[in-house]
Amino acid sequence: MSNVAAVFFGEYGMDRAALGVAGAAQKLKREGGGTLVGVVIGQPAAGMTDALAGLVDRVVVASDGEVASYQPDAALDALEQILKPLAARAVLLGNDTYSQELVPRLAHRLGGSSLADAIAVALEGDGVKATRSAYGGKALAVYQLKRAPAVVWVRARALAPGEPTGAQGAVEQAKVAVQAPRLRIVERKKEAQAGVRLEDAQLIVSGGRGLGGPEPFEDLKKLAATIGAQTGASRAACDAGWVPPSWQVGQTGKKVAPELYLAIAISGASQHLLGMGDSKVIAAVNTDPEAPIFKHCSFGIVEDYRKVVPILTEKLAELRK
Ligand code: FAD
């Protein structure tokens, strides 16, 4: 039972986060052999199947009927039918909201074990060893998942991207029988979003309650646009209705791992740190020198954001010229 599977969602394409999932799956294949199967749920983005076929041994696409756009019950039925015959040792997913929703249910259906938010995975004995941050990034916890398959979602952007194998794996369309979903989606609203999704962002400018209202987020958007960053927020700012819930970073929000995370007027509560503590570089602007975020950042400015943000925007714009 040494096959490995990695699950991707068609709408995201093979972005940097998806490549991180592929890279982790390739590592498990290197350690244990077997076949590496990439499963695509939903209509694949342009060029996705070709790109994925260059990274795995086999690509299976489930995109017909109910599975064409994401619906959890349909996606679970499809994944169960595709993955059961594979008898994979590990099934890896990314740090998007679909994966977070599916992982425990999928593990239950496959009779395996599950883990959220791994930053490293390895084969160990008959099982899988997965590492994740604990205590807001102060410690690492190592888990042994002994019941196969180990169904794990990884903080994809923090992991080395998949490398082309030099061959093109076979691509096949899955024939799955999806039961009538118990959940009916009556409307889909797509949020206007420029650039990459938050989970895949290389640079993130994030704002917190200390901004005092929705208007300052317009200045943060300008700052972000200057350096091609995405915008995020603390839960306090999202709960206040200043920005959409999809911006939330943290334990109950998005888990991100950009090259740079700029936290503006965010205190750095442990639940926020859980979402961004694995960023390569953290920088913070806060009026309170005792704010916990300063214990976790590489660069910090103790100052009112109203003074700092315009100067930062201007200087970064000059540097980008
Ligand atoms: P605050 O803690 O109020 O911090 C505001 C900061 O702004 C302060 O440090 C202040 O000094 C600074 N400030 C004020 N004025 C200025 C100024 N003019 N210029 C510069 N700085 C200024 N939180 C998350 O973010 N994400 C989660 O996913 C999340 N999940 C949670 C799950 C659970 C189960 C629980 C219990 C809580 C969760 N929280 C989460 C909430 C978390 O505990 C904090 O309440 C929240 O992160 C605080 O947000 P904040 O830092 O924006 O606000």
Side-chain angles (χ1 to χ4, degrees), residues 207-211 233-237 248-253 264-272 285-288 291-292 303-306:
R209 178 159 35 206
L211 291 179
S234 70
R235 178 163 160 177
Q248 186 183 320
V249 172
Q251 183 183 352
T252 41
I264 300 181
I266 291 178
S267 60
S270 60
Q271 296 89 352
H272 189 78
V285 179
N286 199 304
T287 41
D288 176 8
E303 188 52 276
D304 193 314
Y305 77 87
R306 279 168 283 229

Side-chain angles (χ1 to χ4, degrees), residues 31-253:
E31 291 170 356
T35 303
L36 171 53
V37 180
V39 181
V40 180
I41 295 292
Q43 201 56 47
M48 180 178 190
T49 39
D50 278 351
L52 182 56
L55 301 167
V56 301
D57 302 315
R58 220 178 113 204
V59 176
V60 181
V61 181
S63 60
D64 291 337
E66 296 279 4
V67 200
S69 355
Y70 179 74
Q71 203 287 355
D73 291 342
L76 272 172
D77 281 353
L79 283 170
E80 183 181 358
Q81 287 163 44
I82 294 166
L83 294 172
K84 261 204 175 136
L86 274 183
R89 189 179 214 188
V91 178
L92 301 185
L93 294 89
N95 53 319
D96 51 87
T97 38
Y98 298 160
S99 298
Q100 292 180 44
E101 173 176 52
L102 292 177
V103 158
R105 296 176 69 187
L106 184 59
H108 174 71
R109 288 212 190 179
L110 298 176
S113 46
S114 77
L115 188 81
D117 206 9
I119 51 170
V121 284
L123 294 187
E124 191 177 68
D126 291 334
V128 168
K129 188 172 80 170
T131 307
R132 54 182 282 190
S133 293
Y135 304 116
K138 288 193 185 76
L140 292 176
V142 180
Y143 294 80
Q144 284 182 309
L145 302 167
K146 293 189 172 168
R147 195 172 342 131
V151 185
V152 178
W153 69 261
V154 296
R155 197 170 292 211
R157 227 184 178 284
L159 303 176
E163 296 284 345
T165 57
Q168 283 295 106
V171 179
E172 60 198 80
Q173 187 71 32
K175 288 190 181 58
V176 289
V178 172
Q179 289 176 19
R182 281 171 296 174
L183 186 84
R184 197 165 59 87
I185 294 176
V186 288
E187 192 183 0
R188 288 178 197 266
K189 281 191 183 166
K190 202 151 179 81
E191 218 172 79
Q193 186 197 5
V196 300
R197 56 190 169 122
L198 198 53
E199 298 94 318
D200 194 46
Q202 194 179 3
L203 306 167
I204 296 176
V205 175
S206 215
R209 178 159 35 206
L211 291 179
E215 299 81 14
F217 274 96
E218 294 305 317
D219 299 327
L220 259 53
K221 279 192 208 164
K222 270 186 221 146
L223 170 56
T226 312
I227 51 171
Q230 280 296 350
T231 36
S234 70
R235 178 163 160 177
C238 295
D239 284 356
W242 300 343
V243 289
S246 57
W247 286 32
Q248 186 183 320
V249 172
Q251 183 183 352
T252 41

